[in-house]
DNA sequence: GTCGCTGCAAAGTCTTTGCAGAGAG
DNA sequence: CTCTCTGCAAAGACTTTGCAGCGAC
């Protein structure tokens, strides 16, 4: 599993942050919410709500879980910037924990696979452009859309 | 309308290419297909299928047009690389002609103003990165979020 | 004339919502 | 106890598909 090489914070810290956030907003800490956070933390992939739902059920077969709760929790987490979402090709979104190192995305519009990358030249250039416009850059996102190697080969 | 300053090829050329392509594939050139291409050509925006459908109806109220045809035509055009699609936030896709100049966005989170820009260094670098991964880049989008010059000055 | 195209409506997907009971605080 | 959450099923939003008639070639 190569999921651990992207972790910036330990799970316990993430969990504490989440609990604090819930308390501050008069929301409740439930098993379902913990499971969803857990699965997100332990996955190196970008997950669709459906995939996340399956993983949660798999990891805890005793707990009844509805997909509606997954959607509701993702919505909550995204609003709090704990996860971020990407839209890809056909339909739907994929989610990932925001607590990872910054990276950009290359998205295959054919198979919806996602390649993460960071490029220093681009990162630096963005800063320069922002500066040029007197713009105070706080964040950015970049997606490259196209056809990945695998799909290109399949097409032939 | 500032849509015209982005055109890379004249409409007549685009239309001829489209007709040729149809003929080559044993497909037919219909009024609906022409209308859709026309609206796409004359819009500087990324359009949702729904928006495109509305514009087509508006521009040609006499012609009966179904949204299914819009979807089918977009699918065809995308398959032939004449239009490209982008998935945005919420849901659904937006389409635009591939024959336009590309630009990125700098978005002020304070006043929501948008600055468009193109940077050759970044554009080139993206191509290189895609190539590195054996990825066939079709499109990309980049957003820089932050505080624009005006808002920064106001804050003081 | 043939065979692809179109509009319509029905059927699919994916996501959200209403509700009554369960459970966290 | 109170008030939020949850699962379920129903409702929505967005796309695709089947079909019979229409129209490009």
């Amino acid at each position: 599993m190569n999921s651990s090489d992207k972790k910036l914070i330990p799970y316990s810290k993430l969990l504490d942050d989440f609990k604090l956030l819930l308390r501050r907003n008069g929301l409740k800490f439930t098993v379902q919410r913990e499971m969803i956070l857990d699965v997100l933390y332990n996955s190196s992939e970008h997950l669709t709500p459906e995939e996340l739902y399956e993983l949660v059920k798999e990891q805890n077969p005793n707990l009844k879980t509805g997909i509606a709760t997954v959607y509701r929790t993702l919505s909550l987490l995204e609003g709090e910037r704990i996860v971020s979402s990407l839209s890809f090709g056909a339909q739907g979104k994929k989610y990932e924990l925001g607590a990872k190192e910054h990276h950009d995305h290359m998205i295959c519009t054919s198979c919806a696979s996602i390649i993460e990358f960071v490029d220093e030249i681009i990162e630096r250039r963005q800063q320069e452009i922002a500066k040029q416009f007197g713009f105070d850059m706080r964040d950015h996102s970049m997606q490259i859309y196209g056809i990945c190697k695998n799909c290109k080969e399949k097409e032939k």
Side-chain angles (χ1 to χ4, degrees), chain A residues 2-156:
Chain A
N2 71 345
S3 65
S4 50
D5 52 80
K6 292 270 175 57
K7 300 298 164 18
L8 291 185
I9 63 171
Y11 185 60
S12 57
K13 170 84 169 72
L14 178 64
L15 199 57
D16 284 349
D17 287 352
F18 185 42
K19 285 182 182 171
L20 190 63
L21 181 155
L22 290 174
R23 199 168 316 135
R24 256 204 308 261
N25 293 302
L27 303 176
K28 288 171 181 172
F29 181 70
T30 65
V31 193
Q32 288 84 351
R33 283 175 177 168
E34 172 164 18
M35 288 303 303
I36 289 168
L37 197 65
D38 186 281
V39 169
L40 279 167
Y41 187 80
N42 289 302
S43 168
S44 57
E45 305 291 316
H46 291 70
L47 300 172
T48 61
E50 187 68 32
E51 288 163 348
L52 183 47
Y53 170 59
E54 290 304 330
L55 285 171
V56 166
K57 281 200 303 188
E58 194 178 296
Q59 187 162 330
N60 200 332
N62 310 316
L63 181 67
K64 270 200 172 181
T65 312
I67 190 136
T69 296
V70 173
Y71 276 102
R72 283 185 285 227
T73 303
L74 281 173
S75 215
L76 170 66
L77 290 171
E78 189 173 18
E80 297 295 342
R81 307 266 176 99
I82 292 178
V83 304
S84 59
S85 67
L86 280 180
S87 310
F88 61 95
Q91 48 213 158
K93 287 195 211 179
K94 288 189 172 186
Y95 293 81
E96 69 171 345
L97 258 198
K100 293 182 180 175
E101 244 170 61
H102 166 76
H103 55 264
D104 293 314
H105 296 109
M106 214 172 309
I107 303 168
C108 178
T109 54
S110 175
C111 69
S113 68
I114 297 175
I115 301 169
E116 297 180 352
F117 69 93
V118 184
D119 184 73
E120 272 315 314
I121 296 180
I122 290 182
E123 299 295 317
R124 215 174 308 133
R125 191 65 192 147
Q126 287 177 328
Q127 294 280 5
E128 284 169 22
I129 294 167
K131 205 169 171 184
Q132 239 173 63
F133 284 89
F135 195 85
D136 190 1
M137 171 165 141
R138 296 283 161 79
D139 197 1
H140 70 267
S141 76
M142 182 176 117
Q143 301 82 238
I144 293 181
Y145 297 92
I147 310 293
C148 74
K149 208 173 172 178
N150 281 343
C151 290
K152 234 179 1 185
E153 277 161 12
K154 261 182 241 157
E155 270 182 16
K156 287 172 189 167

